[in-house]
Amino acid sequence: RQAKIAIAIDQSGSVCDQMLSAFFGELNGLAKLAEFTVVPFDTQVDESKVYVWKKGQRKQVERVLCGGTCFDAPTKWVNEHGGFDGHIVLTDMEAPKPVASKCQRMWMTTPDCMERPYFSTNEKVIAIDK
């Protein structure tokens, strides 16, 4: 059995292209090991942009949204679409704390953003280099 993972990518205006590029670099590495569902978001999730990133695929950086930030949007999407074992949010952490996740959720951000999150959480937060 392979875990079913949702990866929410913050594509709000506060996430710079360099950070977005770092996120895609991490995902290209993860894709060597597993398949996952990509959920791009800003204040909402655009259903037409959600896709499955297959194991072994490499993808180029793609910005599909550029509004504000609301972590409720991807969390509610993951909760409503069910069956996910985990939810990873790639973000700059610049929005209020979201609603509870029905599956285990963790956060990935840059070291700078990790030092000054907009909200506190007991969930796992990991820093990646940008």
Side-chain angles (χ1 to χ4, degrees):
R1 180 184 179 306
Q2 184 175 353
K4 188 174 175 186
I5 305 295
I7 310 276
I9 304 175
D10 182 348
Q11 298 213 344
S12 64
S14 62
V15 173
C16 68
D17 289 343
Q18 183 181 5
M19 187 181 294
L20 195 59
S21 180
F23 291 163
F24 272 82
E26 291 293 320
L27 295 178
N28 276 315
L30 180 60
K32 292 177 184 176
L33 307 171
E35 173 180 293
F36 46 89
T37 301
V38 175
V39 183
F41 75 98
D42 54 13
T43 59
Q44 61 187 2
V45 171
D46 182 342
E47 296 268 349
S48 70
K49 303 297 183 187
V50 174
Y51 63 92
V52 174
W53 189 325
K54 300 285 188 185
K55 182 178 179 180
Q57 283 184 325
R58 287 196 52 83
K59 300 244 184 217
Q60 296 297 314
V61 177
E62 181 182 26
R63 182 179 293 278
V64 296
L65 300 165
C66 197
T69 310
C70 177
F71 297 131
D72 285 345
T75 301
K76 287 179 180 178
W77 190 93
V78 169
N79 286 348
E80 291 166 5
H81 287 80
F84 288 100
D85 300 303
H87 179 195
I88 301 170
V89 184
L90 303 174
T91 181
D92 59 4
M93 306 292 288
E94 293 184 11
K97 187 173 184 170
V99 296
S101 179
K102 290 182 180 177
C103 63
Q104 189 170 2
R105 178 176 53 199
M106 67 173 278
W107 305 83
M108 292 183 77
T109 191
T110 63
D112 291 343
C113 294
M114 188 173 173
E115 288 180 17
R116 50 175 178 73
Y118 199 85
F119 64 92
S120 61
T121 181
N122 290 330
E123 295 169 331
K124 184 83 171 163
V125 180
I126 296 176
I128 61 169
D129 291 327
K130 54 177 181 173

Short mmCIF file of all heavy atoms in Angstrom, two decimals, residues 22-56:
data_model
loop_
_atom_site.label_atom_id
_atom_site.label_comp_id
_atom_site.label_asym_id
_atom_site.label_seq_id
_atom_site.Cartn_x
_atom_site.Cartn_y
_atom_site.Cartn_z
N ALA A 22 11.97 26.72 -5.25
CA ALA A 22 12.48 25.80 -4.20
C ALA A 22 11.44 24.73 -3.89
O ALA A 22 11.79 23.56 -3.70
CB ALA A 22 12.84 26.59 -2.95
N PHE A 23 10.17 25.11 -3.83
CA PHE A 23 9.10 24.15 -3.57
C PHE A 23 9.09 23.07 -4.66
O PHE A 23 9.02 21.88 -4.37
CB PHE A 23 7.73 24.83 -3.51
CG PHE A 23 7.52 25.73 -2.33
CD1 PHE A 23 6.48 26.66 -2.35
CD2 PHE A 23 8.33 25.69 -1.20
CE1 PHE A 23 6.25 27.50 -1.27
CE2 PHE A 23 8.11 26.53 -0.12
CZ PHE A 23 7.06 27.43 -0.16
N PHE A 24 9.15 23.50 -5.93
CA PHE A 24 9.13 22.53 -7.02
C PHE A 24 10.39 21.66 -7.01
O PHE A 24 10.32 20.48 -7.37
CB PHE A 24 8.94 23.23 -8.37
CG PHE A 24 7.49 23.42 -8.72
CD1 PHE A 24 6.77 24.49 -8.22
CD2 PHE A 24 6.84 22.52 -9.55
CE1 PHE A 24 5.43 24.67 -8.52
CE2 PHE A 24 5.50 22.68 -9.86
CZ PHE A 24 4.79 23.75 -9.36
N GLY A 25 11.52 22.20 -6.57
CA GLY A 25 12.72 21.40 -6.43
C GLY A 25 12.52 20.27 -5.42
O GLY A 25 12.91 19.13 -5.66
N GLU A 26 11.90 20.60 -4.29
CA GLU A 26 11.60 19.58 -3.28
C GLU A 26 10.64 18.54 -3.83
O GLU A 26 10.80 17.34 -3.58
CB GLU A 26 10.99 20.23 -2.03
CG GLU A 26 11.95 21.09 -1.24
CD GLU A 26 13.07 20.30 -0.59
OE1 GLU A 26 12.82 19.19 -0.08
OE2 GLU A 26 14.21 20.80 -0.59
N LEU A 27 9.64 18.97 -4.58
CA LEU A 27 8.65 18.04 -5.12
C LEU A 27 9.25 17.14 -6.20
O LEU A 27 8.90 15.96 -6.28
CB LEU A 27 7.45 18.80 -5.66
CG LEU A 27 6.64 19.55 -4.60
CD1 LEU A 27 5.49 20.31 -5.23
CD2 LEU A 27 6.14 18.62 -3.51
N ASN A 28 10.18 17.66 -7.00
CA ASN A 28 10.86 16.82 -7.98
C ASN A 28 11.65 15.72 -7.27
O ASN A 28 11.71 14.59 -7.75
CB ASN A 28 11.77 17.66 -8.89
CG ASN A 28 11.01 18.25 -10.05
OD1 ASN A 28 10.22 17.59 -10.71
ND2 ASN A 28 11.25 19.53 -10.33
N GLY A 29 12.22 16.04 -6.11
CA GLY A 29 12.92 15.03 -5.31
C GLY A 29 11.95 14.01 -4.73
O GLY A 29 12.22 12.80 -4.77
N LEU A 30 10.82 14.48 -4.20
CA LEU A 30 9.82 13.58 -3.63
C LEU A 30 9.24 12.66 -4.69
O LEU A 30 8.95 11.48 -4.42
CB LEU A 30 8.71 14.39 -2.96
CG LEU A 30 7.57 13.61 -2.31
CD1 LEU A 30 8.09 12.69 -1.21
CD2 LEU A 30 6.52 14.57 -1.75
N ALA A 31 9.10 13.16 -5.92
CA ALA A 31 8.52 12.37 -7.00
C ALA A 31 9.40 11.18 -7.39
O ALA A 31 8.94 10.26 -8.05
CB ALA A 31 8.24 13.25 -8.21
N LYS A 32 10.65 11.18 -6.97
CA LYS A 32 11.51 10.01 -7.21
C LYS A 32 11.05 8.84 -6.36
O LYS A 32 11.32 7.69 -6.68
CB LYS A 32 12.97 10.34 -6.88
CG LYS A 32 13.60 11.34 -7.82
CD LYS A 32 15.01 11.68 -7.37
CE LYS A 32 15.62 12.76 -8.25
NZ LYS A 32 16.95 13.16 -7.77
N LEU A 33 10.33 9.14 -5.26
CA LEU A 33 9.93 8.12 -4.30
C LEU A 33 8.45 7.78 -4.31
O LEU A 33 8.06 6.68 -3.93
CB LEU A 33 10.29 8.59 -2.88
CG LEU A 33 11.74 9.02 -2.65
CD1 LEU A 33 11.89 9.66 -1.28
CD2 LEU A 33 12.65 7.82 -2.80
N ALA A 34 7.60 8.75 -4.69
CA ALA A 34 6.16 8.54 -4.51
C ALA A 34 5.34 9.38 -5.48
O ALA A 34 5.82 10.34 -6.08
CB ALA A 34 5.77 8.92 -3.08
N GLU A 35 4.08 9.00 -5.59
CA GLU A 35 3.08 9.76 -6.33
C GLU A 35 2.29 10.59 -5.32
O GLU A 35 2.09 10.16 -4.19
CB GLU A 35 2.15 8.75 -7.02
CG GLU A 35 0.95 9.35 -7.70
CD GLU A 35 0.10 8.28 -8.36
OE1 GLU A 35 0.56 7.65 -9.34
OE2 GLU A 35 -1.03 8.06 -7.88
N PHE A 36 1.85 11.79 -5.71
CA PHE A 36 1.08 12.64 -4.80
C PHE A 36 0.15 13.56 -5.59
O PHE A 36 0.33 13.76 -6.79
CB PHE A 36 1.99 13.45 -3.87
CG PHE A 36 3.15 14.11 -4.57
CD1 PHE A 36 3.04 15.38 -5.12
CD2 PHE A 36 4.37 13.44 -4.69
CE1 PHE A 36 4.11 15.97 -5.76
CE2 PHE A 36 5.45 14.04 -5.34
CZ PHE A 36 5.32 15.30 -5.89
N THR A 37 -0.84 14.09 -4.91
CA THR A 37 -1.80 15.00 -5.52
C THR A 37 -1.40 16.43 -5.21
O THR A 37 -1.21 16.79 -4.05
CB THR A 37 -3.23 14.74 -4.98
OG1 THR A 37 -3.57 13.38 -5.29
CG2 THR A 37 -4.24 15.67 -5.61
N VAL A 38 -1.25 17.25 -6.24
CA VAL A 38 -0.86 18.66 -6.09
C VAL A 38 -2.11 19.52 -6.06
O VAL A 38 -2.97 19.42 -6.94
CB VAL A 38 0.07 19.10 -7.24
CG1 VAL A 38 0.37 20.59 -7.16
CG2 VAL A 38 1.36 18.29 -7.21
N VAL A 39 -2.19 20.36 -5.02
CA VAL A 39 -3.35 21.24 -4.81
C VAL A 39 -2.85 22.68 -4.75
O VAL A 39 -2.49 23.17 -3.69
CB VAL A 39 -4.10 20.86 -3.51
CG1 VAL A 39 -5.34 21.70 -3.33
CG2 VAL A 39 -4.42 19.37 -3.47
N PRO A 40 -2.79 23.40 -5.90
CA PRO A 40 -2.37 24.79 -5.87
C PRO A 40 -3.48 25.66 -5.26
O PRO A 40 -4.66 25.43 -5.51
CB PRO A 40 -2.15 25.16 -7.34
CG PRO A 40 -2.61 24.01 -8.15
CD PRO A 40 -3.06 22.93 -7.24
N PHE A 41 -3.06 26.66 -4.46
CA PHE A 41 -4.06 27.51 -3.82
C PHE A 41 -3.52 28.91 -3.58
O PHE A 41 -2.31 29.14 -3.54
CB PHE A 41 -4.53 26.91 -2.49
CG PHE A 41 -3.53 27.04 -1.37
CD1 PHE A 41 -3.63 28.07 -0.44
CD2 PHE A 41 -2.47 26.17 -1.24
CE1 PHE A 41 -2.71 28.22 0.59
CE2 PHE A 41 -1.54 26.29 -0.21
CZ PHE A 41 -1.65 27.32 0.70
N ASP A 42 -4.44 29.85 -3.40
CA ASP A 42 -4.15 31.18 -2.83
C ASP A 42 -5.27 31.40 -1.81
O ASP A 42 -5.21 30.84 -0.74
CB ASP A 42 -3.96 32.27 -3.89
CG ASP A 42 -5.09 32.43 -4.88
OD1 ASP A 42 -6.19 31.87 -4.68
OD2 ASP A 42 -4.89 33.15 -5.88
N THR A 43 -6.31 32.13 -2.14
CA THR A 43 -7.46 32.22 -1.23
C THR A 43 -8.47 31.11 -1.51
O THR A 43 -9.43 30.94 -0.77
CB THR A 43 -8.18 33.58 -1.35
OG1 THR A 43 -8.62 33.75 -2.70
CG2 THR A 43 -7.27 34.71 -0.93
N GLN A 44 -8.23 30.39 -2.60
CA GLN A 44 -9.11 29.28 -2.97
C GLN A 44 -8.30 28.22 -3.70
O GLN A 44 -7.16 28.46 -4.09
CB GLN A 44 -10.23 29.79 -3.88
CG GLN A 44 -9.73 30.40 -5.18
CD GLN A 44 -10.84 31.04 -5.98
OE1 GLN A 44 -11.98 31.07 -5.57
NE2 GLN A 44 -10.50 31.56 -7.14
N VAL A 45 -8.90 27.06 -3.89
CA VAL A 45 -8.30 26.00 -4.69
C VAL A 45 -9.00 26.02 -6.04
O VAL A 45 -10.22 26.00 -6.10
CB VAL A 45 -8.49 24.61 -4.02
CG1 VAL A 45 -8.06 23.49 -4.97
CG2 VAL A 45 -7.74 24.54 -2.71
N ASP A 46 -8.23 26.10 -7.11
CA ASP A 46 -8.79 26.03 -8.45
C ASP A 46 -8.83 24.56 -8.84
O ASP A 46 -7.80 23.96 -9.15
CB ASP A 46 -7.93 26.85 -9.42
CG ASP A 46 -8.49 26.87 -10.83
OD1 ASP A 46 -9.35 26.01 -11.17
OD2 ASP A 46 -8.07 27.75 -11.61
N GLU A 47 -10.03 23.97 -8.80
CA GLU A 47 -10.20 22.53 -9.07
C GLU A 47 -9.58 22.12 -10.40
O GLU A 47 -9.06 21.02 -10.54
CB GLU A 47 -11.69 22.17 -9.08
CG GLU A 47 -12.38 22.35 -7.76
CD GLU A 47 -12.39 21.10 -6.92
OE1 GLU A 47 -12.03 20.01 -7.42
OE2 GLU A 47 -12.74 21.22 -5.74
N SER A 48 -9.61 23.02 -11.40
CA SER A 48 -9.08 22.68 -12.72
C SER A 48 -7.56 22.58 -12.73
O SER A 48 -6.98 22.06 -13.69
CB SER A 48 -9.54 23.70 -13.76
OG SER A 48 -8.90 24.95 -13.56
N LYS A 49 -6.90 23.04 -11.68
CA LYS A 49 -5.43 23.01 -11.60
C LYS A 49 -4.90 21.90 -10.70
O LYS A 49 -3.69 21.72 -10.60
CB LYS A 49 -4.89 24.36 -11.10
CG LYS A 49 -5.32 25.55 -11.95
CD LYS A 49 -4.80 25.46 -13.36
CE LYS A 49 -5.19 26.69 -14.16
NZ LYS A 49 -4.85 26.57 -15.56
N VAL A 50 -5.78 21.16 -10.03
CA VAL A 50 -5.37 20.04 -9.18
C VAL A 50 -4.96 18.87 -10.09
O VAL A 50 -5.65 18.58 -11.07
CB VAL A 50 -6.51 19.62 -8.23
CG1 VAL A 50 -6.15 18.36 -7.45
CG2 VAL A 50 -6.85 20.76 -7.28
N TYR A 51 -3.84 18.21 -9.79
CA TYR A 51 -3.40 17.09 -10.61
C TYR A 51 -2.60 16.09 -9.78
O TYR A 51 -2.13 16.40 -8.69
CB TYR A 51 -2.57 17.56 -11.82
CG TYR A 51 -1.28 18.27 -11.46
CD1 TYR A 51 -0.08 17.57 -11.35
CD2 TYR A 51 -1.26 19.64 -11.20
CE1 TYR A 51 1.11 18.21 -11.02
CE2 TYR A 51 -0.09 20.30 -10.87
CZ TYR A 51 1.09 19.59 -10.79
OH TYR A 51 2.26 20.22 -10.45
N VAL A 52 -2.45 14.89 -10.32
CA VAL A 52 -1.62 13.86 -9.70
C VAL A 52 -0.25 13.92 -10.34
O VAL A 52 -0.10 13.85 -11.56
CB VAL A 52 -2.25 12.46 -9.86
CG1 VAL A 52 -1.30 11.39 -9.33
CG2 VAL A 52 -3.59 12.39 -9.15
N TRP A 53 0.78 14.07 -9.49
CA TRP A 53 2.18 14.09 -9.93
C TRP A 53 2.65 12.64 -9.79
O TRP A 53 2.80 12.12 -8.69
CB TRP A 53 2.98 15.02 -9.05
CG TRP A 53 4.37 15.32 -9.46
CD1 TRP A 53 5.26 14.49 -10.08
CD2 TRP A 53 5.08 16.56 -9.27
NE1 TRP A 53 6.46 15.13 -10.28
CE2 TRP A 53 6.37 16.41 -9.79
CE3 TRP A 53 4.74 17.77 -8.69
CZ2 TRP A 53 7.32 17.42 -9.75
CZ3 TRP A 53 5.68 18.78 -8.66
CH2 TRP A 53 6.96 18.61 -9.18
N LYS A 54 2.87 11.99 -10.90
CA LYS A 54 3.23 10.57 -10.92
C LYS A 54 4.68 10.35 -10.49
O LYS A 54 5.55 11.19 -10.74
CB LYS A 54 3.06 9.99 -12.33
CG LYS A 54 1.65 10.08 -12.86
CD LYS A 54 0.77 9.07 -12.22
CE LYS A 54 -0.59 9.06 -12.90
NZ LYS A 54 -1.51 8.19 -12.26
N LYS A 55 4.91 9.23 -9.86
CA LYS A 55 6.25 8.84 -9.45
C LYS A 55 7.17 8.82 -10.66
O LYS A 55 6.80 8.30 -11.72
CB LYS A 55 6.21 7.46 -8.78
CG LYS A 55 7.54 6.99 -8.26
CD LYS A 55 7.41 5.65 -7.56
CE LYS A 55 8.76 5.17 -7.07
NZ LYS A 55 8.65 3.87 -6.40
N GLY A 56 8.34 9.42 -10.51
CA GLY A 56 9.32 9.45 -11.58
C GLY A 56 9.22 10.64 -12.51
O GLY A 56 10.13 10.88 -13.30
#
